[in-house]
């Protein structure tokens, strides 16, 4: 299915965005960039600017869906609050324009692109550059933009995958608990 996917990497100083076009099952980068919030002295002015810019990007590229990176949980509660507000305002802009939203954990995005959930930003950017054949001069100097494009690419990879009927496990103990009869049979053999 052909569609436009917008990705966002939330930030309180630099917010990244990226837009993918999917045609005939193949993704192509349309654009990526940043929303620079460093010049705004007030947190609320930053939030207003995020809303305006995200709304403007949505109006320019008309995405069918938005993939946004979920904030990671750190030790600094104030930073988490600020990041959550920035993410919430970006989500509100998408909701106002009726764009469906999909949230992905940073680890899931990295895993989808590189096969390594703890890959560096540079590894993610390098993989995107190879997969989408992005010329070096279009890569930009801020990894926030490539992180946003990575969220969009992660969503592209998730599209069209039917829900599996395979059992889901929360960990090794859950697996053992749900398969005690099989584990017990193998011990008897």
């Amino acid at each position: 299915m052909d569609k436009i996917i917008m990705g966002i990497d939330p930030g309180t100083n630099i917010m990244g965005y990226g837009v993918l076009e999917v045609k005939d099952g193949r993704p192509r980068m349309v654009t990526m960039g940043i929303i620079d919030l460093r010049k705004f002295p007030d947190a609320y002015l930053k939030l207003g600017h995020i809303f305006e810019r995200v709304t403007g990007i949505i109006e320019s590229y008309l995405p069918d869906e938005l993939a946004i990176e979920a904030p990671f949980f750190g030790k600094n509660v104030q930073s988490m609050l600020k990041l959550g507000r920035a993410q919430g305002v970006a989500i509100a802009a998408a909701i106002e324009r009726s764009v469906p939203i999909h949230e992905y954990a940073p680890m899931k995005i990295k895993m989808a692109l590189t096969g390594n959930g703890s890959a560096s930003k540079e590894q993610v950017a390098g993989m995107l550059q190879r997969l989408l054949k992005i010329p070096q001069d279009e890569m930009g100097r801020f990894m926030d933009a490539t992180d946003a494009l990575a969220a969009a690419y992660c969503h592209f990879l998730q599209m069209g995958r039917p829900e599996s009927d395979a059992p889901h496990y929360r960990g090794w103990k859950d697996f053992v608990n749900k398969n005690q009869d099989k584990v017990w049979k193998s011990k008897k053999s």
Side-chain angles (χ1 to χ4, degrees):
M1 184 184 340
D2 295 349
K3 65 173 54 184
I4 303 289
I5 305 169
M6 180 176 167
I8 289 189
D9 177 35
T12 55
N13 288 320
I14 304 283
M15 180 175 277
Y17 67 89
V19 179
L20 274 184
E21 177 185 42
V22 180
K23 240 186 183 14
D24 300 322
R26 295 187 181 164
R28 176 185 73 81
M29 182 190 81
V30 175
T31 190
M32 69 174 160
I34 60 158
I35 300 169
D36 193 345
L37 304 161
R38 295 174 294 184
K39 63 185 173 217
F40 295 95
D42 181 78
Y44 300 108
L45 290 175
K46 287 182 181 189
L47 295 176
H49 189 67
I50 290 169
F51 189 84
E52 288 172 11
R53 288 287 288 126
V54 171
T55 300
I57 295 164
I58 289 170
E59 289 171 355
S60 294
Y61 295 100
L62 304 173
D64 298 293
E65 299 185 50
L66 173 76
I68 191 164
E69 186 175 301
F72 61 91
F73 296 98
K75 293 179 182 176
N76 187 329
V77 177
Q78 285 300 315
S79 293
M80 285 299 303
L81 263 171
K82 289 175 186 174
L83 192 57
R85 287 176 181 162
Q87 183 202 36
V89 169
I91 288 171
I95 289 169
E96 199 224 354
R97 294 289 189 250
S98 301
V99 178
I101 300 144
H102 305 273
E103 187 175 41
Y104 295 99
M107 195 174 207
K108 179 163 181 114
I109 295 169
K110 292 174 183 181
M111 181 65 86
L113 265 96
T114 68
N116 176 3
S118 58
S120 69
K121 288 177 172 286
E122 291 79 13
Q123 288 171 316
V124 170
M127 186 60 79
L128 271 175
Q129 188 175 14
R130 285 189 287 285
L131 290 169
L132 297 172
K133 297 174 179 61
I134 303 169
Q136 184 61 41
D137 62 330
E138 291 182 32
M139 286 302 288
R141 66 176 222 241
F142 290 101
M143 295 288 171
D144 308 88
T146 52
D147 282 353
L149 193 61
Y153 196 89
C154 176
H155 184 64
F156 158 72
L157 293 173
Q158 300 301 308
M159 285 176 14
R161 290 191 178 179
E163 286 297 315
S164 171
D165 291 335
H168 299 282
Y169 305 106
R170 291 186 308 272
W172 182 246
K173 284 183 183 179
D174 188 39
F175 172 81
V176 171
N177 287 337
K178 289 180 179 173
N179 293 285
Q180 283 186 347
D181 59 321
K182 295 174 189 164
V183 173
W184 182 250
K185 285 179 190 175
S186 67
K187 286 183 178 178
K188 287 183 180 177
S189 316

